[in-house]
Amino acid sequence: MSIALTANFVVKDGMDKEFQAIVLDLAGQVLEKEPGVRMYQLCRSQTLSGQYRLFEVYDNAEVLAAHSQTEWFKALGPKLGACLAEKPMIEKFDFVQA
Amino acid sequence: MSIALTANFVVKDGMDKEFQAIVLDLAGQVLEKEPGVRMYQLCRSQTLSGQYRLFEVYDNAEVLAAHSQTEWFKALGPKLGACLAEKPMIEKFDFVQA
C-alpha cells in the first residue's frame, strides 16, 4: 500500500534560497538512489509566505523506513536547523484504492 | 510551472465508504480525460480518523483552471455535501525546481 507523507516547513526570512538548495539537493539524491520513492517534490505555498511543503510518496512502509535510515536523509536535520523558524510538521497518509 | 493542490476533507462518521466511492469515481474520470493532471490521489490520514487528503498535481495554472470547469468536477460538490462534517480546506503550492 503506497504511503504519502508531507513535511511542512516555515523558513526564516531571507533563508529561502539556502533552504531550497538543501532540500533540492536531498531530493535529487533520494530520487536517484531510492527506487521505491515515487515523489519527493518541494513546493512553495501560493498563499503563506516562507511556507513550504515537501510531498513524498513511497511504494510501502518498508521503503519509507529504509529512507529514514539513509545517510543523506539523516544529514538533512543539522543542515536545515539554521533555516527553519519552527520544527517541521509531518503528516502521513495511506493511499485509498478502488 | 507545475502546481500542487491539496484538498482536506473531514468525513462524517459512517460515511467513509460513500465518500471514497464518490472521490475515486471522480479521480478515475479526471485521470482518464484530463491529460495535464499528473496526480489525483485520495489518501486517508494515518493519525486522524475520518480525515482525508486529495493530492492533485497539474502541469500549469491553465490545466487547473480547465479542471475546475469540467462537468465531472462541478458535480462533486453536491454529491459530497451529505458526507462531509465541514467545508473542505484547499491549499495551493508551486513546484520549486532547481
Side-chain angles (χ1 to χ4, degrees):
Chain A
M1 163 78 76
S2 293
I3 291 171
L5 185 150
T6 59
N8 301 316
F9 300 98
V10 180
V11 173
K12 290 178 188 167
D13 283 348
M15 298 296 279
D16 288 71
K17 280 268 169 285
E18 186 165 343
F19 167 78
Q20 291 178 20
I22 292 167
V23 178
L24 290 177
D25 174 65
L26 172 64
Q29 294 188 70
V30 169
L31 293 173
E32 184 198 324
K33 299 173 185 174
E34 299 180 55
V37 180
R38 299 296 165 190
M39 185 176 188
Y40 210 84
Q41 179 64 52
L42 181 62
C43 292
R44 182 176 186 154
S45 171
Q46 288 190 355
T47 47
L48 304 168
S49 104
Q51 297 217 19
Y52 292 80
R53 185 166 295 173
L54 183 57
F55 289 83
E56 308 171 30
V57 172
Y58 300 87
D59 278 348
N60 51 51
E62 291 70 29
V63 172
L64 172 53
H67 168 68
S68 62
Q69 296 307 313
T70 62
E71 66 185 68
W72 45 90
F73 174 72
K74 285 182 178 176
L76 181 67
K79 285 185 195 170
L80 278 188
C83 304
L84 300 183
E86 56 190 68
K87 201 167 170 283
M89 189 185 71
I90 309 297
E91 296 173 279
K92 284 188 205 165
F93 305 84
D94 293 315
F95 273 37
V96 175
Q97 309 287 25
Chain B
M1 165 77 76
S2 293
I3 290 171
L5 184 151
T6 59
N8 301 315
F9 300 98
V10 180
V11 174
K12 289 178 188 167
D13 284 347
M15 297 296 278
D16 287 70
K17 280 267 171 281
E18 186 165 344
F19 167 77
Q20 290 178 22
I22 292 167
V23 178
L24 289 176
D25 174 66
L26 172 65
Q29 294 189 68
V30 168
L31 293 173
E32 184 197 325
K33 299 173 184 174
E34 299 181 54
V37 181
R38 300 294 164 194
M39 185 177 188
Y40 211 85
Q41 179 64 53
L42 181 62
C43 292
R44 181 176 187 154
S45 171
Q46 287 189 354
T47 47
L48 304 169
S49 107
Q51 298 217 16
Y52 292 80
R53 185 166 295 176
L54 182 57
F55 288 83
E56 309 170 30
V57 172
Y58 300 88
D59 277 349
N60 51 50
E62 291 69 32
V63 172
L64 172 53
H67 167 68
S68 62
Q69 296 308 313
T70 60
E71 65 184 69
W72 46 89
F73 174 73
K74 284 182 176 177
L76 180 67
K79 285 185 196 170
L80 278 188
C83 305
L84 300 183
E86 55 190 68
K87 203 168 170 281
M89 190 186 70
I90 310 297
E91 297 174 278
K92 284 188 204 164
F93 304 84
D94 293 314
F95 274 37
V96 175
Q97 309 287 23

